[in-house]
């Protein structure tokens, strides 16, 4: 395999070098946040942390966790560690509760983000001069600008379409020979569909960089086959500084490399907060070592994954690999005493011949008793009964299945909302 790096030295450093960089970075981080922000100082002092005697990695477990709630309570800039005059940009996510999570950036933070993103582009095989079409929204959402800053650092030619107007996206991709497509997972399905309707083929399109939502291997295969591209899974979030800050899979596709010289990534038991052994599923916790404006310290992401390997990868990169995100803690559903994640349903659905990748899970509340209704588009011949039967095998209980004609359900242009609640 031919490996291309954006920052070869950083991406291939030995485990000892990574440990050393993290150790020094963590000590510097604790001094920075305690010296420059009252909220961090009060919180760390209450946990018995002193900046001068903090020993680095061996004291990591003593640092208190932080969560989305802290961002919301400290809105807008309560956790910012630099003067407002040093800020250059901000992004924001509102999530399901609507309360904003704000991430401010200094110029150096934008450069750090761009470096992480440029590494992701290179890891996917993008070459300087390639046309890169950026379909996530430009605005408060970090997706569009993150792909943009990284593409500039990687020397790509940017077609900054943002989201929506899919027919125009397809035309531009054809006319400008787009080779690299950045997209929220579910929007790539829409692009596929419109290409078919327009009868346009995109022979130059080779690399798809997708994220912002969990997607099953079955979905990845459909995207791969439908667009004829190699699909990569990119990971990051507003709180860590945006898309690509944590990492992505390489051409070996055996886990998402985490940029460990920039972040410490832990996998912990969501109940106790204790680290779980490698290989076991737990919650991803991230600490940003190099960000200035608002570095997170032991941020509980709510995302579930596991360590795949800490060994050097076939691509030559040495950074920790974690599994693709299997869901969020708050996505877990319990019906008929069975716990499951939406992704399990997606996997089972996409194994049914004739079923299309557009679906909704409706949780019906019948006076306290919950029932699941699965709505999905499918070709003629697939019935609600076929769907219910296949899901029973996967889940252990029988949901209701309802089948819609291809093209008749709404199409998301950003992150897809898959789960809906209805009182009956
Ligand atoms: O969704 C960043 C992003 C934009 C990633 C575009 C990839 C592409 P937020 O809106 O803050 O940021 O949402 C972050 O999205 O905690 C995960 O739950 C989920 N997420 C992000 N990437 C992935 C992925 C962007 N590759 C939240 N797989 C995170 C699964 C993902 N879930």
């Amino acid at each position: 395999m031919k490996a291309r790096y954006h920052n070869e030295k950083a991406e291939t450093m030995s485990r000892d070098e990574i440990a050393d960089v993290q150790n020094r970075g963590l000590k510097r981080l604790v001094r920075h946040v305690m010296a420059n922000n009252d909220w961090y100082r009060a919180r760390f002092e209450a946990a018995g942390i002193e900046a001068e005697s903090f020993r680095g990695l061996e004291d990591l477990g003593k640092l208190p966790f932080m969560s989305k709630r802290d961002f919301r309570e400290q809105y807008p800039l309560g956790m910012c560690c630099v003067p407002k005059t040093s800020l250059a940009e901000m992004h924001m996510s509102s999530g399901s509760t609507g309360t904003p999570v704000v991430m401010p950036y200094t110029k150096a933070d934008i450069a750090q983000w761009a470096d992480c993103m440029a590494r992701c582009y290179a890891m996917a095989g993008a070459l300087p001069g390639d046309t890169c079409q950026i379909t996530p929204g430009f605005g408060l959402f970090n997706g569009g600008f993150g792909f943009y800053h990284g593409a500039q650092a990687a020397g790509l030619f940017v077609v900054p379409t943002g989201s929506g107007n899919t027919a125009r996206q397809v035309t531009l991709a054809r006319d400008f020979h787009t080779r690299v497509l950045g997209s929220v997972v579910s929007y790539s399905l829409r692009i596929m569909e419109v290409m078919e309707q327009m009868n346009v083929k995109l022979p130059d399109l080779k690399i798809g960089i997708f994220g912002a939502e969990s997607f099953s291997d079955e979905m990845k295969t459909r995207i791969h086959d439908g667009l004829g591209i190699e699909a990569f899974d990119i990971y990051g979030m507003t709180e860590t500084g945006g898309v690509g800050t944590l990492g992505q899979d390489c051409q070996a596709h055996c886990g998402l490399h985490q940029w460990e010289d920039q972040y410490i990534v832990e996998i912990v038991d969501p109940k106790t907060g204790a680290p779980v052994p490698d290989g076991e599923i737990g919650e991803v916790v991230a600490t940003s070592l190099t960000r200035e404006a608002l570095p997170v310290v032991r941020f509980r992401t709510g995302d579930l994954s596991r360590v795949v390997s800490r060994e050097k990868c076939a691509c030559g990169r040495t950074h920790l690999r974690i599994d693709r995100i299997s869901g969020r803690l708050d996505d877990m559903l319990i019906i008929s005493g069975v716990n499951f994640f939406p992704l399990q349903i997606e996997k089972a659905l996409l194994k049914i011949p004739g079923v299309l990748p557009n679906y909704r899970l409706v949780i019906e509340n019948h006076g306290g008793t919950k029932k699941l209704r699965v709505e999905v588009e499918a070709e003629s011949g697939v019935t609600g009964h076929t769907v219910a039967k296949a899901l029973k095998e996967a889940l252990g209980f029988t949901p209701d299945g309802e089948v819609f004609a291809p093209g008749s359900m709404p199409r998301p242009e950003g992150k897809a909302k898959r789960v809906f609640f209805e009182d009956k």
Side-chain angles (χ1 to χ4, degrees), residues 93 141-143 147 184 210-214 233-239 242-243 301 303 325 328 415:
S93 70
F141 179 48
N142 66 76
F147 274 104
V184 169
F210 304 120
E213 304 168 316
S214 295
D233 185 343
I234 193 162
Y235 184 44
M237 62 205 68
T238 309
E239 295 87 346
V243 51
T301 63
D303 294 332
I325 307 302
R328 291 188 52 79
K415 293 192 193 220

Side-chain angles (χ1 to χ4, degrees), residues 152-200:
Q152 294 291 304
L156 310 182
F157 163 42
V158 174
V159 180
T161 49
S163 64
N165 201 341
T166 313
R168 190 181 63 184
Q169 301 269 9
V170 171
T171 307
L172 291 174
R174 182 194 60 201
D175 297 346
F176 289 85
H177 306 281
T178 295
R179 180 165 184 265
V180 183
L181 179 79
S183 176
V184 169
V185 178
S186 31
Y187 190 57
S188 64
L189 299 171
R190 179 73 188 134
I191 295 179
M192 249 157 70
E193 201 171 58
V194 174
M195 275 169 65
E196 237 175 75
Q197 286 161 8
M198 294 170 68
N199 198 18
V200 169

Side-chain angles (χ1 to χ4, degrees), residues 356 376-379 403-409 411:
L356 301 173
V376 66
E377 286 181 2
E379 285 155 10
V403 170
F404 291 82
S408 59
M409 289 173 67
R411 262 74 188 133

Side-chain angles (χ1 to χ4, degrees), residues 189 215-223 346 350 357 418:
L189 299 171
F215 57 129
S216 59
D217 288 337
E218 287 73 11
M219 184 71 94
K220 201 173 177 192
T221 306
R222 293 222 181 180
I223 298 172
E346 179 179 299
L350 295 184
R418 301 281 189 201

